[in-house]
């Protein structure tokens, strides 16, 4: 259904490179069918909305931050640390998180760590796409349980495409854009409730208002700005700020003071009042101090390596530190410096590369003494069999095997115990060794049983 565009005749690139860079476009008949398929059931007209006031913008921003951090607190199991009642996720959000395997027995999984440290746009789309997959699975189960009818076959596309059309509608939305609460069928309304629960929409009676999280689905700069809103989220969740002030009144000041600063001495300062980001920092940093509005941490090899064992990669850590950067850290970019100091980034990469240099695995070691006859031949036969089966881990180099064969021949010639035989055996003091996987070891034992002489007993032990 796709046709390549014609390559430029003036291109001097090799054919393979030109083919790799050549753009592909859908052919016109397929475009028309796809357009008709998506627009078969158009969205009803939505109510017009005036530009939101600053108070309304603050309310939308506070809702997006509060709902998102309530979700992350539930995923990271740190909601009980705040000591305040927190709204629980909806059943749809819980099912989506279970589908993504973000947590298991109230503990973050490796996928969960990567999710919470990812950038906001990727996090939102991960949840939205998992929700679509959940709908498709439910539709498949219902179709398998019910008898297929012509009416069911006709309504199936509309049931699947309704939420997708709503998601595409958000690509043209602006802050404060409204969607009717009764739009579409039950699947569309369920999707709207799901978006409201993750902070993309804010319910308001008969309509849903688009929050900054709705813009973050399609705009990287909005997602980056929203990710730095971490300081007063626990207060926003309750609709009030310090000294009883409303969230709308305190939010602009908090926004200018919140975020994370990484220093070149590996110290990390997080200006936040809630436990969420202290928990996230604790997943790869050593927490030194917790103050009412700040967390002090230290990047260290031990905690970084422990994070890598749980599936967190350096890209996740750096992306999180950059997306939640304090405004003072963002000023470094004006001077051409990175948000995360170069020496810190390089050291994190060194720790990651040092961990990936070595790996451990169970193995079975075969040994032959230098005085054993046919040792070199048995080793070569086992090496060939293990290599063919894909289970060879290590073997004595070929030069040492040749020396062992020569020594064995000298021993055979001096079988009467002459000095030459003893010198030959002493010249090759190291035994011959072969390391293979446990799955291949059983085959090699069977092979050796066929070749074994009465005096030939190779040793096998697992390491």
């Amino acid at each position: 259904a796709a046709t390549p565009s014609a390559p430029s005749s003036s291109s001097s690139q090799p054919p393979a490179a030109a083919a790799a860079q050549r753009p592909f476009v859908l052919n016109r008949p397929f475009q028309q069918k796809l357009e008709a398929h998506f627009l078969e059931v158009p969205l009803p007209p939505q109510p017009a909305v005036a530009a939101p006031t600053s108070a309304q913008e603050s309310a939308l921003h506070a809702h997006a931050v509060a709902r998102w951090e309530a979700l992350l607190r539930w995923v990271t199991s740190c909601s009980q640390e705040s000591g305040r009642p927190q709204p629980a996720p909806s059943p749809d959000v819980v099912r989506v998180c279970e589908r993504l395997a973000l947590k298991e027995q109230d503990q973050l999984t490796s996928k969960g760590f990567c999710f919470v440290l990812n950038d906001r746009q990727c996090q939102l789309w991960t949840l939205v796409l998992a929700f679509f997959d959940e709908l498709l699975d439910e539709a498949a189960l219902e179709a398998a349980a019910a008898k297929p009818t012509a009416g069911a076959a006709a309504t199936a596309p509309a049931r699947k495409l309704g939420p997708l059309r709503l998601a595409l509608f958000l690509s043209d939305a602006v802050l404060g854009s409204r969607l009717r609460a009764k739009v579409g069928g039950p699947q569309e309304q369920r999707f709207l409730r799901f978006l409201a629960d993750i902070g993309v929409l804010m319910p308001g009676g008969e309509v849903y208002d688009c929050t900054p999280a709705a813009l973050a689905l399609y705009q990287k700069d909005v997602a980056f700005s929203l990710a730095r809103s971490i300081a007063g989220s626990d207060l926003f969740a309750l609709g009030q700020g310090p000294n009883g002030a409303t969230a709308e009144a305190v939010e602009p000041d908090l926004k200018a003071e919140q975020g994370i600063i990484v220093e070149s001495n590996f110290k990390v300062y997080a200006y936040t009042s809630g436990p969420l980001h202290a928990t996230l920092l604790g997943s790869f940093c050593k927490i030194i101090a917790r103050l009412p509005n700040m967390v002090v941490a230290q990047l260290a090899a031990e905690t970084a390596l422990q994070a890598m064992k749980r599936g967190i990669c350096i890209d996740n850590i750096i992306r999180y530190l950059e997306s939640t950067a304090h405004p003072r850290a963002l000023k470094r970019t004006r001077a051409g410096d990175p948000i995360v100091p170069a020496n810190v980034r390089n050291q994190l990469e060194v720790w990651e590369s040092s961990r990936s240099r070595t790996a451990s695995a169970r193995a079975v070691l075969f040994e032959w003494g230098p005085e054993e006859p046919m040792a070199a031949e048995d080793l070569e036969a086992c090496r060939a069999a293990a290599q063919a089966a894909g289970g060879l881990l290590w073997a004595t180099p070929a030069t040492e095997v040749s020396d062992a064969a020569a020594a064995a021949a000298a021993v055979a010639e001096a079988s009467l115990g002459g000095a030459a035989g003893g010198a030959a055996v002493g010249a090759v003091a190291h035994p011959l060794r072969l390391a293979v996987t446990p799955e291949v070891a059983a085959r090699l034992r069977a092979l050796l049983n066929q070749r074994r002489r009465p005096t030939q007993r190779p040793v096998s032990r697992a390491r």
Side-chain angles (χ1 to χ4, degrees):
T3 57
S5 60
S8 174
S9 59
S10 60
S11 175
S12 60
Q13 295 180 337
Q21 298 179 2
R22 184 185 306 163
F24 284 81
V25 296
L26 299 174
N27 61 46
R28 188 58 186 168
F30 185 80
Q31 290 182 31
Q32 295 173 349
K33 292 181 180 180
L34 187 64
E35 182 179 358
H37 189 58
F38 276 112
L39 303 180
E40 181 180 2
V41 184
L43 284 173
Q46 302 302 319
V49 59
T53 63
S54 60
Q56 292 172 335
E57 290 183 2
S58 298
L60 293 171
H61 182 274
H63 175 79
V65 172
R67 294 307 306 167
W68 183 254
E69 295 207 354
L71 170 63
L72 291 188
R73 279 192 294 269
W74 177 81
V75 171
T76 56
S77 301
C78 71
S79 58
Q80 63 274 13
E81 297 182 19
S82 63
R84 298 175 181 269
Q86 302 294 342
S90 66
D92 278 330
V93 174
V94 173
R95 281 192 293 268
V96 165
C97 292
E98 291 175 350
R99 183 184 189 91
L100 296 172
L102 300 183
K103 60 186 299 185
E104 183 177 351
Q105 298 180 352
D106 291 334
Q107 296 293 328
L108 272 179
T109 62
S110 59
K111 294 181 179 179
F113 276 110
C114 295
F115 173 81
V116 297
L117 296 181
N118 214 333
D119 65 85
R120 181 64 58 85
Q121 191 176 67
C122 291
Q123 290 172 330
L124 289 171
W125 275 114
T126 298
L127 294 177
V128 170
L129 294 178
F131 179 83
F132 289 159
D133 292 338
E134 191 73 16
L135 288 181
L136 292 177
D137 288 349
E138 291 177 3
L141 291 176
E142 292 177 4
K147 294 182 179 180
T149 61
T155 58
R159 289 183 57 192
K160 297 178 182 179
L161 291 175
L164 179 58
R165 287 186 286 109
L166 285 175
L168 296 177
F169 170 81
L170 294 177
S171 63
D172 295 327
V174 296
L175 188 64
S177 295
R178 290 183 171 178
L179 285 168
R180 296 186 188 275
K182 301 299 183 181
V183 63
Q187 301 301 329
E188 288 88 340
Q189 296 176 21
R190 179 180 169 189
F191 183 54
L192 290 176
R193 292 192 296 269
F194 172 79
L195 293 179
D197 204 54
I198 62 175
V200 174
L201 300 176
M202 186 174 75
E206 297 295 324
V207 295
Y208 286 94
D209 296 329
C210 291
T211 70
L215 279 61
L217 283 168
Y218 295 94
Q219 301 179 30
K220 278 279 188 182
D221 55 340
V222 178
F224 183 80
S225 176
L226 191 61
R228 295 192 299 108
S229 302
I230 65 175
S233 56
D234 286 337
L235 305 174
F236 292 155
L238 299 175
Q240 63 180 12
N243 302 321
T246 61
E248 291 84 351
V250 300
E251 193 272 339
D253 294 334
L254 289 175
K255 186 176 180 181
E257 299 175 358
Q258 63 196 4
I260 295 176
I261 299 177
V262 183
E263 300 290 356
S264 58
N265 60 355
F266 295 87
K267 288 287 183 64
V268 179
Y269 301 94
Y271 293 86
T272 176
S273 60
L276 172 61
H277 291 274
T279 301
L280 297 182
L281 284 175
S283 63
F284 59 87
C285 291
K286 179 181 179 182
I287 303 298
I288 299 176
R290 290 194 186 191
L291 304 177
N293 294 313
M294 185 174 69
V295 177
V296 182
Q298 176 82 36
L299 281 167
E302 181 181 359
T303 52
L305 292 174
Q306 290 176 355
M308 295 174 199
K309 289 180 181 179
R310 293 194 295 263
I312 303 175
C313 63
I314 296 303
D315 290 339
N316 294 132
I317 296 176
I318 294 177
R319 187 184 298 116
Y320 169 73
L321 295 175
E322 290 180 342
S323 63
T324 58
H326 191 276
R328 191 186 306 174
L330 294 176
K331 292 180 180 179
R332 297 172 180 171
T333 57
R334 300 177 185 175
D337 298 326
I339 297 175
V340 178
N343 67 311
V344 176
R345 181 190 294 263
N346 294 337
Q347 187 60 54
L348 288 172
E349 294 174 352
V350 168
W351 289 335
E352 186 177 45
S353 62
S354 64
R355 180 179 177 270
S356 60
R357 260 182 223 148
T358 60
S360 60
R362 291 185 59 83
V364 176
L365 180 67
F366 289 84
E367 288 186 351
W368 289 266
E371 73 283 355
E372 296 184 45
M374 303 294 293
E377 290 80 355
D378 286 345
L379 173 65
E380 290 299 333
C382 291
R383 187 209 301 266
Q387 193 167 7
L392 178 64
L393 299 177
W394 182 86
T396 299
T399 55
E400 295 185 18
V401 175
S402 302
D403 294 341
V411 170
E413 293 178 0
S415 57
L416 296 179
V425 174
V428 187
H430 301 292
L432 302 181
R433 296 185 176 94
L434 180 74
V436 297
T437 60
E439 296 78 12
V440 177
R443 302 183 187 180
L444 299 188
R445 291 191 185 99
L447 176 63
L448 290 174
N449 286 334
Q450 297 176 359
R451 299 173 55 87
R452 183 171 296 170
R453 303 296 191 273
T455 58
Q456 195 174 352
R457 295 184 177 274
V459 180
S460 170
R461 63 175 179 271
R463 289 186 177 178

